[in-house]
Amino acid sequence: MAASEDRARRRQQRRAGGANEPRTPERGRPEEEPRAARADAAPAPVVEDKRGGFVSQSIGELKKVEWPGQTQVVQATTVVLIACIIVGLWLYANDFIWQRVVKQILL
């Protein structure tokens, strides 16, 4: 209850104080320059309209990828195959058990 009253009081103070006042560290966030006016702001990326732009950008991104080595691929494949076998056996066992239950009790 106190939080909503505090929020309502702050809203009233903002309305009474004027919405055009710049924020200062005492009142909230420090005042910042707009992004376009900053000297250290990075320029906006240039969008290519060429048909090969997408393909060349994709090739550039694929060159940055750190591809796994053969040992990592073998290990990951082994883990996936073992997980598939375990889940398959678990599903087979459940199917076998519930098939018996349905035949004996429900039918």
Side-chain angles (χ1 to χ4, degrees):
M1 193 76 175
S4 61
E5 291 170 357
D6 192 36
R7 222 177 294 129
R9 183 180 46 80
R10 285 193 308 252
R11 284 186 192 132
Q12 283 180 336
Q13 286 177 346
R14 270 189 251 132
R15 288 183 192 131
N20 294 334
E21 285 185 20
R23 289 183 177 236
T24 59
E26 299 88 39
R27 290 195 53 219
R29 286 181 253 142
E31 186 176 343
E32 293 184 12
E33 298 177 25
R35 187 153 180 79
R38 289 185 190 166
D40 63 337
V46 178
V47 178
E48 294 182 17
D49 290 333
K50 300 176 186 175
R51 290 182 180 215
F54 174 76
V55 174
S56 64
Q57 288 179 0
S58 298
I59 291 170
E61 290 297 321
L62 287 173
K63 288 180 181 177
K64 297 177 190 177
V65 173
E66 185 177 333
W67 297 100
Q70 184 178 3
T71 56
Q72 289 176 319
V73 172
V74 170
Q75 288 175 351
T77 304
T78 304
V79 168
V80 169
L81 288 175
I82 290 172
C84 288
I85 290 170
I86 291 171
V87 171
L89 290 172
W90 186 79
L91 288 173
Y92 176 77
N94 272 308
D95 183 50
F96 185 75
I97 291 168
W98 285 106
Q99 184 179 23
R100 297 268 186 190
V101 168
V102 169
K103 283 184 180 177
Q104 296 297 323
I105 296 173
L106 297 177
L107 296 179

